[in-house]
Amino acid sequence: MGKTKDKSGPLARRPDNSAFKQQRLPAWSPVLTANTVLPFFYLLAVISMLLGVWLLLLVQSTQEIKLDYTDLGNCNECFDLRRNVSNAAQTCSCRVEFSIDKTFKGDVFFYYGLKNFHQNLRRYMDSRDDGQTVGWIKKLKNPSTYCEPFAKDEDGVPIAPCGAVANSMFNDSFTLTYHSSSGRRVPVPLLRKGLTWYTDKNVKFRNPRTDNLTLAQVFEGTRQPLYWQRPVYSLDPHDPNNNGFINEDLIVWMREAAFPNFKKLYGILNRADANFEKGLPRGNYSIDISYNFPVQHFLPIAYLVTSSLILLMAVVLTVAWWKFGKDGKNMKE
Amino acid sequence: MFLRDHFLLSCCFSPGEVICEPPNNKLDKFTGTLHWRDNKYSLDNEKMLLRGCVLRNTEWCFGMVIFAGLQTKLMQNCGRTKFKRTSIDKLMNTLVLWIFAFLICMGVVLAIGNTIWETCVGRKFELFLPWDEFQSSAVFSGFLTFWSYIIILNTVVPISLYVSVEVLRLSHSFFINWDQKMYHNQSDTPAEARTTTLNEELGQVEFIFSDKTGTLTQNIMAFSKCSINGQTYGDVYDEFNQKVEITEKTECVDFSFNPLCDKAFKFYDCSLVEAVKQQESAAQDFFRLLALCHTVMPEEKSEGNLVYQAQSPDEGALVTAARNFGFIFRARTPETITLCERGRAATYDLLAILDFNNVRKRMSVIVRNPQGQIKLYCKGADTIIFDRLDPSSEDLMYATSEHLSEFAGEGLRTLALAYKDLSKEYYQVWQKKLHYVSTVIENREEQLAALYEEIEQGMKLLGATAIEDKLQEGVQETIACLNLADIKIWVLTGDKLETAMSIGYSCNMLRDDMDEVFVISGLTQLEVQQQLRNAKENILGLRRLSSTADVQKGDVFAEDSVFEETIISEYALVINGHSLAHALEPQLEHTLLDLACLCKTVICCRVTPMQKAQVVELVRRHKMAVTLAVGDGANDVSMIKTAHIGVGISGQEGMQAVLASDYSFAQFRYLQRLLLVHGRWSYFRMCNFLAYFFYKNFAFTLVHFWYGFFCGFSAQTVYDQWFITLFNIVYTSLPVLAMGLFDQDVNDQNSLRYPSLYKPGQQNLLFNKRQFFLCTLQGMVTSFLLFFIPYGAFSVMLKDDGSDFSDQQAFAVTIATTLVIVVSVQIGLDTHYWTAVNHLFMWGSLIVYFAILFAMQSDGLFGIFPSNFPFIGTARNCLSEKSVWLVILLTTVVCILPGLVVSFLRIDLFPTLTDKIRHLQQSRKKQRPQEQNLRRVRRTSSRRSAYAFSHQQGYGELITSGKNMRVSTLSSSRSLERIAQSSSWIENILKRKNEVSAEPAESHKADRLK
């Protein structure tokens, strides 16, 4: 219907004989039969099994050591000190010693982790200004109201970077030292760059245009977040290119974790150093933590369990089909 | 409404006054008085012409309009228009309310969770995230959280469902409009869905209420067979002496030798023409009788253009048959009948008409033929005629009797014909008696009857005719098919009991092998009650006798419905309008309904339009079943409006029924396709659509609920805002819409071939509260898996380059992608009929999802609106990771497989009829589907005489008096006489008039609205 036709004559109102209008469109109408379903199940079971085994091997080739330093060594002193926010300005250091039994071969990643820290609260996650961290000058001095109450300090000076996320940035620093068998203390070189996604480092986070000014000058008129010890433009004293909004620690922190227990990348073993060419050798280590603030087998096991369940279902289906439906007697009218 | 006035008021319309009752819907009553020229005339129902009547045998009448428009009895009978909604619609509303309640429950749970969390954990976190100033306590925070969650979780309430459902219904209506198989070539009428909101209800119909005339029948009588002198004519045989089925293509007899023949008349047996041509006296007498013995009025507007005005279509058919076989009835005067016998004009003197009435069941004429012989020609019901035959006709009687049984077996209406030679003397004696009796005042009727009886004795049998009350095409097959689909068909008609029953027989609704046909025709309430109870006891009694010996009578009726399903024997109920009025009283309606539901066939005759509606309403109210009313005339409007679904047959009866209907088409047989194909598909599609829609929304939304337990119940959404906005509209709407539009579990041919496929709809099996519960449960489980599998994986997942990967955005993208894939796979499994459009929508949706995903998270958009598109780069980083794809694969498999297992097991172990036929359809795919070939069923049936059915009391008297003939055809002397007699014939005419108009008035056919 719809359009009026110019047809006239005895069959003027006859509907068109098109496959669409007569609901005769050519179509594929699949039916679940044993011939299709059972092989599919077995195939799926095998695929899952293979994936599971492969993942398991992959996981077992990785090694992990996890240290909860809250109470280790002399860190509990710092922990007590930091309970009171007013002591934020004081420095506190502690040392944790540990040993690894087998050499960590290949790439070694160094993470910090937090437990029960809710980066995923709605108000927390909203409390940031992507406009500011992408380097818009206007936003730098005039952060979004989403950042409240961390947009401006009591004096009305805008905070950069603003918001609760940045404010609560994890700023413990770690120095890993290798105690070689000869008793020599070798500092373990950690790469503090290359920790972020390319898009984050190059698109999402940009420093404001400097135009021959130093970074410090650009950030003039703003102040550091209240809980920070250093302003944003001097977060990394060693690498001037790692300062401002593109500081990798900041970027890593700003990518909010989905769950309250999370870990974030701190550094990557620099294998350019001759001692650590093959990874992290076995032996004793100590971490010096400037105290400012947990690998698992889920996926392979999940795959293996799923695979066995599918196999089980496939067998049950086969039996059911064999016993009751094979000769199609149920299909008789 | 007209007051027909026979006082030839002609030109003198001076003012008068009518005082009458207010408008009402009683068709059989009218009271009023007319004051005119100082005279008072009483006005009663006999003087009324109701709207819808057709004047016959007269060109004009004087009248006065008393009520018009809405005040006419017809419109008063129409009933109120109700807003029609489908049961799915009502269920949907209930379910949406439930979902809303569920939403509030979730909100409350999460709000309580938030209060507890804020108290135990949130307080410590205040260091990093101080409470807002207005947030005074954890309880207040919980309160705010409640509202936040109501907003976030509102997608669980499917608002877009209503729009989608309407779109589907509209398209289904278009499919009905477009269906060529419901298009009637002859009248150029396509089917039309006039309401677009009732389509899926067509798949759930349990009761059909059908009008008779114009709906089941064409209201055309056709002379189809006859038996002359022990020889049958009418069947066609091929060269092997095998009977040939008569179809459209069968060659019919060429009547071109007869210039005055009726072109529309069709007869297939050439041997009868030969018989007439060969001067066989029996055959000639046979047709001469048909041409003489009737009360038809001829009208010859131009030479050779004869039009017969017959009181009943039966008579017309017989006279037309005689006309085509060369005995043309051309003209009549009160005293003569002029025939054109095979080219030669012959004038018979009409001596007497011994008219028809319901007791006599026959009519005779006494004529003097051109040779001067006096003959009596009689036609009537076979039993009556056979009782009055001359012993010499006995052999012939047996032969004819056999033929009659044969005719009756084919559902034809039969009539026996006989003649008698009268001697002049005998006739003169008889005539004197007649003259005497007709002047008697007391017991005139009885005395006349006795006199007629006297002369109609010792007749010689000529033969018998068989008339077909032409059913609409395919009515028997349609009714048989709908019966197989467990649809009960009730016929509600304004016609007489006998006519209704005869149609019942010819439609196979009544059969001789039925255990019993109950006829309820009580006049008082007690009588009706007694008859109903007896009938019911009759049905239930036998079994009860064996099971429980003495149960209290009261209990007997209370338990009746329990036994309803177990009745195997077939019963039929025929009830007339008068009894129906009593039976529809509140105290009897349950008995009536119970009895009617025990019977396989129910026929209500002589019912008013209002009663039709009442019957429909009765079933609608007490049986919780979907009712469909089908009719073609204005008298069906009320029932069409009352039933859940009204279907109008657009025929010759005008547009009123069609205008009030929800669906309209040209032929009753299309009902089969409307219900079994379109209705079934609509219901099937709608149910699958709804189930999937609820599933999808639950799977989509409940993820937020699970996430609430990990994000401190802070109303943080799992997905990106844009995803939430677009999910229902863009990513998942089209595949399910395509399914709702095109899905077919079984193709149309098989739907018609296996009417039992219709039953799940009646039992409401495809979508009900249980199905709703199951599909929401599936949705919940899916959302659970959708959240917890990625959760398990993400808490430990790393990228290959070592960077952590447990951030909220990557999590959101992974879950969103998984969700889109899972629901797409699910719709794939739910789709039974993959057309190109399904493929396009399905793959298109997935492609669009990924396209939009990458576009939304592109550098460019972020550069322009950094705050609105914070997900920059997430998709790129996330979906390039193989572990993410492993998570997606695992989740999809785990979400889909259980459903697949269940449906495979169900199909394999407990296949429904649908599954079986799908299976069959698959295996037969290569073979060309054969057209269904339902043969016309032959059955044995008691014979029924046509004469007893369609005839009212004849108007022979009117003809012999000549009052209905135009002055010009009468001699001047007679017209003088006529004026002298005027006062008495007016009364007669008044009396007759009402009977003449009674039929159309009661069935309110043709409305003259133009």
Side-chain angles (χ1 to χ4, degrees):
Chain A
M1 285 219 338
K3 61 172 187 254
T4 49
K5 293 178 209 105
D6 298 330
K7 275 195 294 185
S8 59
L11 301 179
R13 296 170 67 201
R14 183 190 176 93
D16 295 341
N17 188 17
S18 62
F20 173 71
K21 289 188 174 181
Q22 301 307 319
Q23 305 197 58
R24 277 190 277 104
L25 286 175
W28 171 58
S29 41
V31 180
L32 292 180
T33 61
N35 294 342
T36 52
V37 172
L38 294 181
F40 174 71
F41 269 74
Y42 284 110
L43 187 72
L44 212 56
V46 170
I47 291 175
S48 305
M49 184 81 78
L50 292 177
L51 281 174
V53 170
W54 175 63
L55 284 169
L56 198 63
L57 291 177
L58 214 64
V59 164
Q60 274 173 347
S61 69
T62 60
Q63 283 166 285
E64 179 194 56
I65 183 162
K66 215 188 290 182
L67 292 173
D68 183 351
Y69 65 86
T70 317
D71 293 318
L72 280 180
N74 53 352
C75 288
N76 53 349
E77 294 168 15
C78 291
F79 179 70
D80 293 338
L81 182 76
R82 292 288 175 223
R83 282 193 164 178
N84 192 341
V85 190
S86 57
N87 296 332
Q90 296 180 36
T91 56
C92 179
S93 303
C94 63
R95 171 175 294 188
V96 173
E97 304 206 344
F98 65 97
S99 63
I100 54 177
D101 307 332
K102 266 167 79 182
T103 304
F104 277 35
K105 286 182 189 150
D107 292 335
V108 179
F109 303 104
F110 196 86
Y111 301 92
Y112 62 87
L114 293 174
K115 274 186 175 173
N116 227 349
F117 189 91
H118 285 81
Q119 270 202 311
N120 58 2
L121 296 182
R122 180 176 51 83
R123 281 172 45 242
Y124 181 89
M125 292 188 79
D126 288 346
S127 184
R128 58 189 287 166
D129 186 352
D130 288 332
Q132 188 185 44
T133 51
V134 82
W136 287 6
I137 299 286
K138 199 176 76 195
K139 288 273 184 178
L140 184 69
K141 303 282 168 60
N142 191 13
S144 151
T145 49
Y146 278 107
C147 288
E148 295 290 350
F150 299 107
K152 288 174 180 171
D153 67 358
E154 299 97 25
D155 306 329
V157 183
I159 298 174
C162 73
V165 187
N167 189 56
S168 58
M169 187 174 107
F170 181 83
N171 53 1
D172 288 9
S173 66
F174 307 91
T175 318
L176 185 63
T177 314
Y178 173 50
H179 304 248
S180 69
S181 46
S182 59
R184 209 157 45 89
R185 295 164 68 96
V186 183
V188 178
L190 287 181
L191 284 178
R192 301 282 282 113
K193 287 178 81 174
L195 312 179
T196 60
W197 294 354
Y198 175 85
T199 47
D200 281 358
K201 175 99 181 169
N202 294 291
V203 183
K204 194 169 181 182
F205 291 88
R206 304 302 306 151
N207 276 327
R209 282 161 58 94
T210 47
D211 297 330
N212 299 331
L213 300 173
T214 61
L215 210 52
Q217 287 169 319
V218 172
F219 279 96
E220 207 165 311
T222 66
R223 62 156 295 174
Q224 77 223 50
L226 303 173
Y227 292 180
W228 286 19
Q229 288 163 337
R230 277 197 291 256
V232 68
Y233 48 83
S234 58
L235 275 175
D236 188 345
H238 309 294
D239 185 353
N241 290 331
N242 193 22
N243 272 323
F245 292 141
I246 55 168
N247 176 274
E248 300 221 354
D249 284 339
L250 175 67
I251 295 174
V252 167
W253 180 257
M254 291 295 276
R255 186 152 279 284
E256 297 113 331
F259 300 103
N261 300 338
F262 58 88
K263 63 179 191 291
K264 284 178 183 287
L265 189 59
Y266 182 75
I268 303 169
L269 178 67
N270 187 354
R271 287 165 70 192
D273 189 298
N275 283 323
F276 302 102
E277 201 175 342
K278 290 188 175 139
L280 205 56
R282 101 192 151 84
N284 296 323
Y285 292 83
S286 64
I287 311 175
D288 291 298
I289 303 162
S290 176
Y291 202 110
N292 297 334
F293 249 48
V295 181
Q296 188 196 354
H297 299 78
F298 177 82
L299 211 50
I301 295 197
Y303 262 102
L304 290 174
V305 169
T306 309
S307 144
S308 33
L309 283 179
I310 296 173
L311 200 62
L312 186 71
M313 286 194 279
V315 170
V316 168
L317 288 189
T318 313
V319 171
W321 166 71
W322 192 267
K323 284 230 140 190
F324 303 105
K326 186 183 145 215
D327 43 6
K329 58 176 179 277
N330 286 325
M331 286 296 165
K332 299 280 187 309
E333 283 171 59
Chain B
M1 203 174 293
F2 303 94
L3 167 68
R4 183 170 168 180
D5 189 353
H6 295 274
F7 302 85
L8 297 167
L9 302 175
S10 47
C11 51
C12 40
F13 292 115
S14 58
E17 191 184 23
V18 172
I19 297 169
C20 68
E21 61 182 16
N24 59 51
N25 62 16
K26 296 191 183 87
L27 291 177
D28 53 354
K29 218 177 125 249
F30 181 81
T31 47
T33 46
L34 167 69
H35 296 268
W36 183 63
R37 288 190 176 168
D38 304 328
N39 277 325
K40 246 172 121 181
Y41 305 90
S42 84
L43 302 178
D44 55 15
N45 201 42
E46 307 232 306
K47 301 188 179 72
M48 298 298 297
L49 281 182
L50 300 181
R51 174 174 162 185
C53 293
V54 181
L55 291 179
R56 273 211 192 127
N57 306 335
T58 176
E59 300 269 297
W60 48 263
C61 74
F62 284 108
M64 174 175 152
V65 178
I66 292 202
F67 295 124
L70 287 174
Q71 296 179 324
T72 56
K73 289 193 188 267
L74 182 69
M75 295 307 280
Q76 295 277 318
N77 259 304
C78 268
R80 222 174 266 126
T81 309
K82 284 184 203 157
F83 178 62
K84 290 183 179 178
R85 271 180 23 203
T86 65
S87 51
I88 293 258
D89 239 349
K90 288 172 200 150
L91 179 64
M92 223 162 75
N93 288 346
T94 318
L95 296 181
V96 166
L97 283 181
W98 285 10
I99 293 177
F100 205 78
F102 178 69
L103 170 67
I104 290 181
C105 286
M106 283 196 297
V108 167
V109 168
L110 291 165
I112 293 173
N114 181 262
T115 309
I116 297 170
W117 188 88
E118 287 288 353
T119 314
C120 305
V121 186
R123 261 179 216 296
K124 295 172 195 155
F125 199 70
E126 240 188 303
L127 181 62
F128 303 109
L129 186 69
W131 285 358
D132 289 326
E133 292 139 27
F134 53 84
Q135 194 175 332
S136 50
S137 71
V139 177
F140 185 69
S141 160
F143 174 75
L144 291 179
T145 304
F146 172 78
W147 291 110
S148 304
Y149 269 114
I150 295 290
I151 293 168
I152 289 176
L153 297 174
N154 80 72
T155 44
V156 82
V157 182
I159 300 301
S160 61
L161 181 70
Y162 284 93
V163 181
S164 314
V165 162
E166 289 308 318
V167 170
L168 282 193
R169 286 181 178 149
L170 184 68
S171 334
H172 293 171
S173 302
F174 275 120
F175 281 129
I176 291 174
N177 294 345
W178 285 332
D179 195 339
Q180 273 200 324
K181 289 183 181 142
M182 293 188 355
Y183 166 80
H184 193 232
N185 273 331
Q186 282 86 38
S187 59
D188 188 28
T189 317
E192 191 187 358
R194 303 171 43 82
T195 312
T196 56
T197 53
L198 296 175
N199 293 315
E200 73 267 10
E201 196 101 315
L202 287 173
Q204 300 189 277
V205 171
E206 274 182 73
F207 287 89
I208 291 179
F209 298 91
S210 173
D211 176 40
K212 186 192 79 67
T213 319
T215 305
L216 295 178
T217 66
Q218 302 176 345
N219 209 12
I220 294 175
M221 301 292 166
F223 179 83
S224 96
K225 286 181 184 176
C226 60
S227 159
I228 302 172
N229 205 13
Q231 169 82 37
T232 54
Y233 300 94
D235 285 324
V236 184
Y237 297 89
D238 60 15
E239 56 265 42
F240 310 110
N241 230 10
Q242 293 287 312
K243 201 181 248 182
V244 178
E245 197 84 5
I246 290 175
T247 60
E248 294 268 306
K249 288 180 191 120
T250 314
E251 208 176 319
C252 53
V253 175
D254 181 17
F255 287 107
S256 54
F257 62 86
N258 181 353
L260 281 168
C261 71
D262 183 349
K263 302 278 187 304
F265 181 82
K266 284 206 170 91
F267 199 76
Y268 301 94
D269 189 358
C270 300
S271 56
L272 185 55
V273 184
E274 297 306 314
V276 176
K277 279 183 181 165
Q278 281 159 15
Q279 309 274 348
E280 269 183 40
S281 70
Q284 294 193 359
D285 266 343
F286 182 87
F287 286 111
R288 189 173 290 124
L289 187 154
L290 291 182
L292 290 171
C293 179
H294 54 77
T295 55
V296 172
M297 296 297 296
E299 226 177 297
E300 194 163 4
K301 287 183 175 147
S302 60
E303 180 65 27
N305 183 14
L306 264 176
V307 177
Y308 292 141
Q309 295 281 0
Q311 178 193 3
S312 72
D314 295 56
E315 282 221 302
L318 292 174
V319 179
T320 307
R323 167 178 168 182
N324 275 37
F325 283 101
F327 289 81
I328 301 141
F329 167 62
R330 285 198 83 156
R332 76 151 84 231
T333 67
E335 288 161 342
T336 63
I337 295 175
T338 309
L339 300 188
C340 175
E341 284 184 7
R342 304 174 58 237
R344 289 189 302 275
T347 304
Y348 290 78
D349 293 328
L350 181 60
L351 302 176
I353 295 181
L354 285 56
D355 208 355
F356 174 88
N357 71 28
N358 275 331
V359 184
R360 284 166 42 76
K361 294 196 165 123
R362 62 187 184 272
M363 87 165 275
S364 307
V365 289
I366 300 173
V367 293
R368 185 186 297 119
N369 65 14
Q371 291 82 42
Q373 298 158 319
I374 297 176
K375 291 203 180 214
L376 176 141
Y377 291 110
C378 178
K379 66 177 180 187
D382 44 25
T383 45
I384 305 279
I385 301 281
F386 287 178
D387 284 347
R388 290 165 180 76
L389 288 182
D390 193 71
S392 62
S393 290
E394 198 165 315
D395 290 341
L396 182 58
M397 186 181 98
Y398 289 127
T400 309
S401 181
E402 235 165 70
H403 295 155
L404 283 170
S405 307
E406 205 177 292
F407 297 156
E410 288 162 36
L412 304 173
R413 300 180 181 198
T414 58
L415 208 56
L417 311 180
Y419 77 100
K420 185 183 179 182
D421 294 312
L422 299 175
S423 67
K424 227 172 240 176
E425 299 71 35
Y426 178 79
Y427 175 70
Q428 276 163 1
V429 174
W430 185 82
Q431 196 191 21
K432 276 186 191 124
K433 286 190 210 161
L434 181 68
H435 190 76
Y436 168 72
V437 165
S438 50
T439 54
V440 168
I441 293 167
E442 270 178 37
N443 290 335
R444 178 161 32 163
E445 300 284 319
E446 283 96 77
Q447 291 192 38
L448 267 177
L451 200 62
Y452 290 170
E453 185 79 46
E454 184 194 315
I455 201 166
E456 288 167 332
Q457 291 292 346
M459 298 183 291
K460 295 199 177 95
L461 189 61
L462 269 174
T465 61
I467 288 179
E468 190 180 356
D469 183 358
K470 279 220 166 164
L471 293 178
Q472 297 240 359
E473 230 172 293
V475 163
Q476 285 174 323
E477 290 87 342
T478 304
I479 286 178
C481 187
L482 294 177
N483 266 332
L484 284 177
D486 264 7
I487 301 173
K488 299 186 181 68
I489 302 176
W490 293 20
V491 175
L492 309 179
T493 173
D495 279 333
K496 292 174 62 184
L497 186 82
E498 291 85 353
T499 324
M501 279 180 79
S502 93
I503 287 302
Y505 278 104
S506 52
C507 296
N508 268 353
M509 295 180 69
L510 296 177
R511 289 188 308 272
D512 275 356
D513 57 3
M514 285 186 141
D515 294 67
E516 193 154 354
V517 177
F518 302 106
V519 179
I520 310 288
S521 54
L523 290 173
T524 65
Q525 178 147 4
L526 265 178
E527 247 178 282
V528 174
Q529 180 172 7
Q530 199 51 48
Q531 285 177 350
L532 289 174
R533 292 240 162 117
N534 286 345
K536 202 159 144 189
E537 264 174 288
N538 211 328
I539 297 177
L540 299 168
L542 292 168
R543 185 182 30 261
R544 185 159 299 109
L545 271 177
S546 55
S547 56
T548 49
D550 46 1
V551 184
Q552 286 289 307
K553 209 176 177 188
D555 302 336
V556 169
F557 292 105
E559 299 164 7
D560 284 345
S561 50
V562 183
F563 295 98
E564 220 172 87
E565 306 305 323
T566 56
I567 303 278
I568 308 153
S569 346
E570 294 185 346
Y571 296 92
L573 175 71
V574 180
I575 183 164
N576 70 20
H578 207 84
S579 310
L580 196 61
H582 293 299
L584 286 172
E585 299 278 314
Q587 61 268 40
L588 274 183
E589 60 178 22
H590 279 283
T591 322
L592 171 72
L593 192 62
D594 288 345
L595 177 63
C597 290
L598 289 172
C599 295
K600 203 156 181 295
T601 301
V602 178
I603 296 178
C604 304
C605 46
R606 286 259 172 210
V607 291
T608 64
M610 211 52 183
Q611 280 180 327
K612 288 186 179 185
Q614 282 170 345
V615 173
V616 176
E617 182 64 32
L618 178 72
V619 174
R620 198 186 153 136
R621 210 169 50 233
H622 294 296
K623 295 302 282 187
M624 299 304 214
V626 178
T627 55
L628 181 146
V630 49
D632 71 321
N635 58 333
D636 304 315
V637 168
S638 60
M639 103 177 152
I640 284 174
K641 282 183 182 170
T642 310
H644 289 97
I645 302 164
V647 175
I649 306 277
S650 47
Q652 311 118 346
E653 299 281 357
M655 291 300 289
Q656 212 137 8
V658 171
L659 289 177
S661 69
D662 304 308
Y663 298 90
S664 74
F665 40 70
Q667 293 272 303
F668 180 78
R669 66 169 192 271
Y670 297 150
L671 195 57
Q672 190 180 358
R673 193 169 172 84
L674 182 71
L675 296 184
L676 299 188
V677 178
H678 288 284
R680 209 185 81 85
W681 277 348
S682 271
Y683 176 69
F684 168 79
R685 289 165 182 171
M686 191 61 76
C687 291
N688 281 359
F689 176 83
L690 290 177
Y692 177 78
F693 215 94
F694 286 121
Y695 155 79
K696 185 184 76 166
N697 273 22
F698 270 71
F700 167 56
T701 309
L702 257 58
V703 172
H704 299 308
F705 179 78
W706 308 120
Y707 192 50
F709 291 88
F710 294 89
C711 68
F713 308 95
S714 63
Q716 174 60 41
T717 56
V718 177
Y719 316 109
D720 179 10
Q721 296 301 323
W722 293 104
F723 180 78
I724 295 176
T725 315
L726 297 177
F727 177 76
N728 263 334
I729 306 168
V730 179
Y731 302 149
T732 56
S733 62
L734 289 181
V736 66
L737 209 61
M739 180 185 77
L741 285 181
F742 303 115
D743 214 24
Q744 299 179 7
D745 50 347
V746 169
N747 65 24
D748 53 344
Q749 284 148 359
N750 280 331
S751 302
L752 290 171
R753 190 176 306 172
Y754 302 98
S756 302
L757 287 172
Y758 192 75
K759 289 174 189 170
Q762 294 167 329
Q763 292 152 12
N764 215 359
L765 289 182
L766 297 186
F767 191 77
N768 47 38
K769 286 174 181 157
R770 187 169 163 269
Q771 289 298 323
F772 167 76
F773 179 73
L774 287 177
C775 68
T776 50
L777 188 71
Q778 194 194 357
M780 281 187 228
V781 171
T782 304
S783 74
F784 183 85
L785 295 171
L786 220 70
F787 178 80
F788 281 99
I789 293 176
Y791 165 72
F794 264 70
S795 54
V796 293
M797 199 150 65
L798 294 176
K799 280 183 76 164
D800 287 344
D801 66 359
S803 60
D804 72 280
F805 204 63
S806 56
D807 75 288
Q808 202 271 339
Q809 295 189 335
F811 187 66
V813 169
T814 309
I815 292 199
T817 308
T818 318
L819 174 71
V820 170
I821 291 176
V822 167
V823 296
S824 297
V825 173
Q826 186 65 46
I827 189 76
L829 288 176
D830 287 351
T831 302
H832 299 75
Y833 193 74
W834 286 78
T835 64
V837 183
N838 290 77
H839 281 289
L840 178 75
F841 282 0
M842 175 92 171
W843 306 117
S845 288
L846 282 175
I847 290 168
V848 163
Y849 167 70
F850 284 107
I852 292 183
L853 181 71
F854 283 100
M856 291 279 190
Q857 306 186 358
S858 65
D859 303 353
L861 268 181
F862 179 79
I864 305 166
F865 310 103
S867 319
N868 295 330
F869 298 96
F871 271 64
I872 154 96
T874 312
R876 258 177 288 169
N877 286 290
C878 180
L879 297 179
S880 59
E881 214 48 44
K882 68 173 184 297
S883 47
V884 168
W885 286 105
L886 286 174
V887 170
I888 292 175
L889 176 69
L890 180 73
T891 315
T892 309
V893 166
V894 173
C895 285
I896 294 297
L897 278 198
L900 192 63
V901 169
V902 170
S903 47
F904 173 72
L905 278 182
R906 194 192 53 70
I907 291 175
D908 202 42
L909 302 184
F910 314 103
T912 59
L913 185 63
T914 316
D915 300 325
K916 291 175 189 172
I917 288 163
R918 272 177 71 76
H919 192 79
L920 210 72
Q921 199 169 302
Q922 284 290 305
S923 52
R924 276 193 192 163
K925 204 152 194 186
K926 274 145 206 152
Q927 301 168 20
R928 226 179 130 268
Q930 306 143 329
E931 279 301 311
Q932 194 176 1
N933 191 15
L934 273 180
R935 298 262 316 280
R936 181 167 173 163
V937 206
R938 283 193 159 264
R939 62 218 137 64
T940 56
S941 179
S942 58
R943 63 179 98 113
R944 298 169 304 281
S945 161
Y947 224 43
F949 307 136
S950 62
H951 240 56
Q952 309 288 333
Q953 171 126 31
Y955 46 24
E957 198 181 335
L958 202 62
I959 288 170
T960 45
S961 67
K963 276 80 190 188
N964 62 338
M965 288 170 211
R966 260 181 257 154
V967 186
S968 59
T969 65
L970 298 168
S971 63
S972 55
S973 64
R974 283 208 63 87
S975 58
L976 282 172
E977 191 187 331
R978 178 169 140 251
I979 292 162
Q981 287 182 340
S982 64
S983 65
S984 73
W985 70 254
I986 283 171
E987 279 170 24
N988 282 331
I989 286 180
L990 276 179
K991 203 170 124 214
R992 290 286 173 263
K993 181 273 305 172
N994 278 293
E995 279 147 1
V996 172
S997 64
E999 196 178 14
E1002 266 145 19
S1003 50
H1004 282 262
K1005 292 307 173 190
D1007 52 323
R1008 298 249 157 130
L1009 272 176
K1010 295 166 214 167

